[in-house]
């Protein structure tokens, strides 16, 4: 009993760090045998996935009702250019860091791996498919963009009903709104419970990831791994702080408030599974409810700075292995292709490898090099996902700052939306 209350009273971050360290130690000690711990991690990811759809739907419906269609449009018009810009910058940083570290030096193209090019995602299809022909299918397949669309439509319908001239509509709108709010509370309660289990799940994920790495591959691709970490560190410690500073944000304070989400993204390698914790972190970091709940679910699927950085560095990596030189024109093309591919990459573990195949196919680079990095993907996926989630929170914070400033200028009180 004592040990349980000790456990419940410890901070989330302490327990997560402890889980991570225990996972690393077990992974090293047990090697491949650590796979028996994998179910502990799978259970944690399943729990997160279980609540992510209801959480997005209910919290977005509530947020829309605390907002107005005009405000939603304005937030959208601010966040998308920011996503594009930071993604392109991340590819550029990936290219620049790889030029310094030379991750491909001394490596040769593996001759044996035969790799099939993936289907190219069609941009128009992605947009059209945001409007699902079947709501239940969108929910059951976890198609987050379609889910966001449905949630906004439902939220707006309720909002209009609540402000209708017809008292009957108002009454029903209010009723559905209250039920939605209550449902949202229920999901938050479940999330608190899941977070108590999180550190144990992290032990399972980390032990299995570390234990299943072939040490020879890790050593051979050491520079590739190092470049990934330096690249994301450059984004998190240089690029984002610079942007945040311009918008008057206290960088240190901001990072210390979002650390739970950053850490969870690192440990789970999934922006989507981290989303419940990202939303909680946004509240802690003072990002207004409407901005957070509208932008973060979309960001978890389309804004992938870490993944984009991977594409930039991977192209240089490949060019080094092939002994090719890359012109400035090629670099611009890579930034454009990479940005599109990053938008199309899902926020789940391993998705960046598929995106990398798409970039390589379009850039005419051999897919065998993608296969070459697959062996250590788990190690770099962690840090790229960390870049993805940090980028989502940074973009949300900037939009929130700009909304606050606009309200101040107009002499309107900025209601952050939380109780
Ligand atoms: N794992 C990443 C994420 O969930 C996507 C990727 O593989 O790059 O954000």
């Amino acid at each position: 009993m004592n040990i349980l209350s000790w456990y419940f009273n410890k901070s989330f971050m302490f327990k997560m760090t402890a889980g991570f360290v225990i996972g690393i130690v077990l992974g090293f000690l047990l090697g491949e045998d650590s796979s028996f711990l994998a179910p502990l991690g799978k259970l944690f990811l399943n729990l997160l996935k279980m609540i992510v759809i209801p959480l997005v739907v209910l919290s977005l419906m509530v947020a829309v009702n605390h907002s107005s269609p005009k405000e939603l449009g304005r937030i959208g018009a601010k966040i998308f250019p920011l996503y594009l810009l930071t993604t392109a910058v991340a590819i550029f940083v990936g290219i620049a860091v790889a030029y310094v570290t030379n991750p491909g030096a001394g490596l040769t193209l593996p001759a044996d791996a035969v790799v099939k090019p993936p289907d190219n995602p069609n941009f128009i299809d992605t947009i059209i498919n945001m409007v699902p022909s079947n709501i239940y299918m969108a929910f059951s397949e976890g198609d987050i963009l379609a889910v966001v669309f449905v949630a906004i439509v439902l939220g707006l319908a309720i909002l209009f009903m609540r402000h209708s001239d017809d008292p009957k509509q108002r009454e029903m709108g209010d009723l559905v709104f209250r039920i939605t709010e209550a449902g949202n509370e229920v999901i938050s309660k479940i999330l608190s419970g899941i977070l108590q289990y999180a550190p144990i799940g992290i032990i399972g994920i980390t032990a299995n990831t570390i234990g299943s790495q072939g040490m020879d591959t890790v050593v051979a691709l050491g520079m590739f791994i190092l470049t990934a970490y330096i690249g994301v560190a450059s984004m998190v410690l240089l690029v984002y702080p610079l942007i945040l500073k311009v918008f008057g944000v206290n960088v240190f304070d901001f990072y210390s408030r979002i650390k739970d989400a950053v850490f969870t993204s690192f440990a789970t390698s999934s922006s989507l599974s981290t989303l419940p914790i990202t939303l909680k972190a946004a509240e802690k970091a003072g990002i207004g409810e409407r901005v957070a709940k509208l932008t973060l679910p979309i960001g978890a699927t389309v804004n992938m700075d870490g993944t984009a950085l991977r594409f930039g560095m991977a192209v240089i990596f490949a060019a080094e292995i092939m002994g090719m030189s890359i012109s400035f024109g090629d670099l611009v093309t890579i930034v454009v292709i990479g940005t599109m591919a990053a938008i199309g990459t899902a926020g789940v573990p391993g998705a960046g490898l598929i995106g990398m195949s798409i970039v390589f196919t379009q850039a005419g680079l051999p897919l065998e090099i993608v296969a070459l990095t697959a062996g250590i993907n788990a190690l770099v996926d962690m840090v790229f996902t960390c870049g993805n989630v940090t980028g989502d929170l940074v973009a949300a914070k900037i939009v929130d700052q700009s909304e606050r400033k606009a309200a101040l200028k107009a002499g309107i009180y900025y209601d952050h939306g939380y109780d």
Side-chain angles (χ1 to χ4, degrees):
M1 196 57 211
N2 265 345
I3 198 154
L4 268 188
S5 59
W6 173 85
Y7 181 82
F8 286 134
N9 285 328
K10 281 285 169 214
S11 80
F12 181 72
M13 205 50 207
F14 173 83
K15 286 184 285 194
M16 290 292 266
T17 314
F20 190 63
V21 173
I22 295 172
I24 292 178
V25 173
L26 287 176
F28 273 119
L29 289 180
L30 301 173
E32 285 191 1
D33 291 339
S34 58
S35 62
F36 82 94
L37 291 168
L40 290 179
K42 180 93 174 67
L43 185 61
F44 174 48
L45 292 179
N46 280 358
L47 285 167
L48 286 175
K49 282 189 210 146
M50 175 183 91
I51 59 154
V52 77
I53 300 291
L55 179 74
V56 168
V57 175
L58 294 169
S59 69
L60 202 47
M61 282 167 71
V62 172
V64 168
N65 271 273
H66 288 161
S67 184
S68 68
K70 205 171 132 203
E71 191 182 15
L72 296 182
R74 202 178 55 231
I75 293 172
K78 285 180 187 174
I79 198 80
F80 284 109
L82 202 54
Y83 282 167
L84 281 178
L85 183 77
T86 49
T87 304
V89 168
I91 301 180
F92 180 76
V93 170
I95 293 172
V97 174
Y99 264 131
V100 176
T101 58
N102 300 322
L107 291 173
T108 48
L109 184 68
D112 47 347
V114 179
V115 188
K116 226 171 91 273
D119 289 338
N120 241 332
N122 181 323
F123 186 67
I124 300 287
D125 281 353
T126 309
I127 303 286
I128 302 279
N129 289 340
M130 269 193 77
V131 184
S133 58
N134 182 331
I135 292 186
Y136 295 106
M137 211 131 94
F139 283 24
S140 70
E141 287 174 359
D143 180 351
I144 206 86
L145 289 184
V147 168
V148 165
F149 178 82
V150 172
I152 292 177
V153 170
L154 287 172
L156 282 177
I158 298 170
L159 179 70
F160 288 135
M161 283 172 77
R162 291 175 60 223
H163 293 95
S164 157
D165 292 334
D166 177 355
K168 185 103 194 118
Q169 288 243 341
R170 277 207 304 272
E171 188 194 320
M172 285 198 254
D174 283 339
L175 177 68
V176 184
F177 179 58
R178 295 293 294 161
I179 292 172
T180 311
E181 274 192 318
N184 197 20
E185 283 302 312
V186 173
I187 298 295
S188 302
K189 260 273 162 301
I190 298 175
L191 175 62
S192 314
I194 295 174
L195 292 187
Q196 292 296 348
Y197 174 72
I200 297 165
I202 295 300
I203 296 180
I205 299 175
T206 315
N208 187 46
T209 307
I210 300 289
S212 59
Q213 295 305 308
M215 272 309 143
D216 295 349
T217 331
V218 173
V219 172
L221 292 171
M223 262 340 248
F224 184 86
I225 300 171
L226 194 66
T227 310
Y229 280 76
I230 296 177
V232 173
S234 311
M235 288 298 290
V236 173
L237 302 176
L238 296 172
V239 178
Y240 295 147
L242 211 72
I243 309 178
L244 288 166
K245 266 254 155 312
V246 170
F247 283 84
V249 179
N250 178 335
V251 178
F252 188 76
D253 179 67
F254 175 69
Y255 277 155
S256 77
R257 287 169 192 269
I258 65 164
K259 62 181 184 309
D260 291 355
V262 175
F263 193 87
T264 308
S265 65
F266 188 75
T268 61
S269 295
S270 171
S271 312
L272 223 47
S273 300
T274 308
L275 185 56
I277 300 162
T278 315
L279 287 163
K280 249 177 143 35
E283 183 175 347
K284 267 197 211 160
I287 301 171
E289 183 208 28
R290 295 176 297 281
V291 173
K293 290 181 175 168
L294 186 71
T295 65
L296 291 170
I298 300 176
T301 355
V302 304
N303 186 43
M304 302 260 163
D305 294 353
T307 305
L309 191 138
R310 170 212 292 261
F311 298 156
M313 64 170 267
V315 169
I316 304 303
F317 174 71
E320 280 174 354
I321 294 178
M322 305 294 295
M324 283 162 46
S325 62
I326 292 196
S327 69
F328 182 71
D330 292 339
L331 289 183
V332 174
T333 316
I334 292 161
V335 172
V336 175
I337 300 173
T339 304
M340 288 300 133
I343 292 172
T345 303
V348 296
L353 267 187
I354 302 167
M356 194 168 153
S357 310
I358 292 167
V359 174
F360 273 40
T361 310
Q362 301 218 356
L365 290 165
L367 290 180
E368 281 71 13
I369 293 180
V370 179
L372 181 70
T373 65
I376 48 90
N377 192 53
L379 293 182
V380 289
D381 202 359
M382 298 165 91
V383 78
F384 290 139
T385 309
C386 192
N388 291 344
V389 169
T390 312
D392 294 341
L393 282 161
V394 168
K397 181 70 185 174
I398 288 166
V399 171
D400 187 64
Q401 283 290 100
S402 126
E403 287 286 295
R404 273 173 206 272
K405 279 200 182 129
L408 196 70
K409 217 164 148 194
I412 309 166
Y413 168 68
Y414 183 79
D415 176 11
H416 57 64
Y418 300 106
D419 297 332

